[in-house]
Amino acid sequence: MSVPEYTDRKVVIPAELDLSRLKDKSVLITGGGSGLGLAYAEAFAQAGAFVTIVDFNKEAGEAAEKSLAPNAVFSQCDVREWDDLVAAFETALAKSPQHSVDVVITNAGIIGRDDMYTLDDPAGPPKKPDLRTVDVNLYGTLYTAKLALHYFRRSPVSAERDRCLIIKGSLAAYADQPGSPQYNVSKYGTRGLFRNLRRTLHRDDVRINFVAPWYVRTPILSDKVVEYLQGKGVKFATVPDCARAMLNIAADTSIHGRSIGIVPREEAPHGYMDLEHDDYEEGDFMKGWQETVLATAQSIVDLA
Ligand SMILES: NC(=O)c1ccc[n+]([C@@H]2O[C@H](COP(=O)([O-])OP(=O)(O)OC[C@H]3O[C@@H](n4cnc5c(N)ncnc54)[C@H](O)[C@@H]3O)[C@@H](O)[C@H]2O)c1
């Protein structure tokens, strides 16, 4: 399937989805054992796709594989470990009906106490921070994306085959989130990867899109956090809307280079929308700078 160069064409969310393209497609989802990743796995399996569930958590992954049989396989993997991830992609290739990798969702992620933020006693020695959140959310995404591009090319080629990389972000890739510098850094980083690759992946006929959920009730948010947010009147996006957005992006081959926000139903009829925050308006000085970078960046790399 030929992918056109990125243009800033807004995605219109349809009332009905045509999921027929997804039948027998091979979908690899990191963090597919719980929360949103599990909901994506269930939705793709229901649409007739074959899902490789990649997760750290053996118990959850095995339970998901069992409940989605025969449309799923579990590969235990820490996304920080390159060799684990290679084995997961090999599993997808070996076990999927067409021995392919067609859709990859870089979903695994964590949030937690962030000692980048905690200040050490200035009288004592500085403590080296634990950068696990960046390791999982950003480095894990870079590894997964790199392998997606490799395994898309290892899959059988045909004029009809669509290859789709979906980078999982968060609205924390757009908003300042005081107290969670690593989460903010990691999600801005994944958005940077998306914006970078959307300019070049058409050359390999690969689509790339970004998915940025607002708060959703999953195990990543403790009951205390949910209660606190509810007390502040914060509305939540929903798990089924996240899953529908993923299916929509994977099934509609015209969607390329866009960031889709998953939002409370009050904000959008299907609970998701094109965010329209990754292109510059006419008159914004950044528009000219962006055009200069686009015209010169590759030559700078070649000259370096
Ligand atoms: N729930 C939200 O409010 C929300 C909002 C925005 C973005 N997100 C993002 O969505 C993604 C999924 O989050 P969720 O809400 O489903 O959380 P979750 O905790 O339910 O699921 C995360 C999954 O990732 C797995 N995982 C964690 N570390 C891993 C590692 N090193 N290697 C492999 N697997 C690993 C976990 O075992 C778990 O199954 C994350 O990237 C998160 O940042 C969530």
Side-chain angles (χ1 to χ4, degrees), residues 221-253:
L221 300 180
S222 68
D223 291 346
K224 260 197 198 155
V225 169
V226 169
E227 216 173 286
Y228 170 77
L229 290 170
Q230 280 171 328
K232 290 283 175 192
V234 171
K235 300 268 189 285
F236 289 79
T238 74
V239 173
D241 289 346
C242 291
R244 187 187 201 269
M246 282 294 173
L247 293 174
N248 191 163
I249 293 168
D252 181 345
T253 59

Side-chain angles (χ1 to χ4, degrees), residues 26 90 142 221 224 292:
S26 167
E90 287 291 339
L142 289 168
L221 300 180
K224 260 197 198 155
T292 303

Side-chain angles (χ1 to χ4, degrees), residues 31-37 54-57 77-80 107-110 136-137 168-171 183 187 213-221:
S34 154
L36 298 176
V54 178
D55 208 292
F56 198 48
N57 183 332
C77 166
D78 183 336
V79 293
R80 293 169 294 180
N107 168 74
I110 57 171
V136 174
N137 298 5
K168 186 65 179 294
S170 163
L171 280 175
Y183 194 74
K187 296 299 182 181
W214 175 244
Y215 294 114
V216 190
R217 271 172 278 187
T218 70
I220 210 172
L221 300 180

Side-chain angles (χ1 to χ4, degrees), residues 261-272:
I262 319 294
V263 295
R265 279 289 175 119
E266 289 79 355
E267 306 287 342
H270 293 284
Y272 61 101

Side-chain angles (χ1 to χ4, degrees), residues 114-118 120 126-132 135 182:
D114 191 338
D115 61 5
M116 271 300 290
Y117 178 65
T118 339
D120 303 326
K127 263 206 283 177
K128 186 178 171 186
D130 173 357
L131 298 183
R132 199 174 347 165
D135 281 347
Q182 284 193 58

